[in-house]
Amino acid sequence: VRYHRSGEPRPYFRARCRMMGMMGEDDGKEKPSIDELRAQEEERHRAREAEVDASWSKTVVTPGTGKPAWHGARATLHVVGTIVSSRSGEAVGSVFEDTRQRGEPHLLLLGRGVLVPGLEKAVQSMREGELATVIVEPAGGYGGGGAPSFPRVPGS
């Protein structure tokens, strides 16, 4: 947060917007109501959540003895990300992220969308001290486009 001379917090940016009109033509068709649009969006959200829930699997290597993770918890975790299968020619088993080698674990608030959705769900199912192998399919990971932040992770 930046501070103004008065000592008050100052926003990073300020915007003023005015709707000047709409582009496109009115085709005479009846537009869906806000309730219909909301229902459609909720259905898309439920379908995406079901897709993410089905996209990951976890095998516990060492059970944790601490508290279970929860949405909003501050978590510190080490991640070793490896390619499990590849259509792009990237070597199976090659490591694309290793926080242990980097010497710096991930520190994050669970539920903020920092991790790919499938891994986020897997971490939220863990207990403190647990060591697990998690496999995330493309639907719960980087999808068809691969990972811009990890160029070695190919699309599906």
Side-chain angles (χ1 to χ4, degrees), residues 14-64:
R14 183 177 298 148
R16 293 179 81 175
C17 301
R18 178 181 295 160
M19 173 68 92
M20 300 302 291
M22 301 286 284
M23 295 183 67
E25 297 179 18
D26 185 5
D27 56 8
K29 294 180 185 174
E30 188 174 323
K31 306 292 185 226
S33 71
I34 191 73
D35 291 332
E36 291 170 327
L37 291 172
R38 188 172 290 130
Q40 290 171 1
E41 182 60 31
E42 287 173 0
E43 180 56 36
R44 279 194 296 272
H45 179 73
R46 276 194 295 276
R48 176 67 180 139
E49 283 294 311
E51 184 180 44
V52 169
D53 287 343
S55 72
W56 63 274
S57 63
K58 178 180 84 168
T59 304
V60 176
V61 177
T62 306

Side-chain angles (χ1 to χ4, degrees), residues 68-84:
W70 67 92
H71 186 87
R74 265 189 9 206
T76 304
L77 61 135
H78 277 289
V79 175
V80 179
T82 57
I83 304 291
V84 176

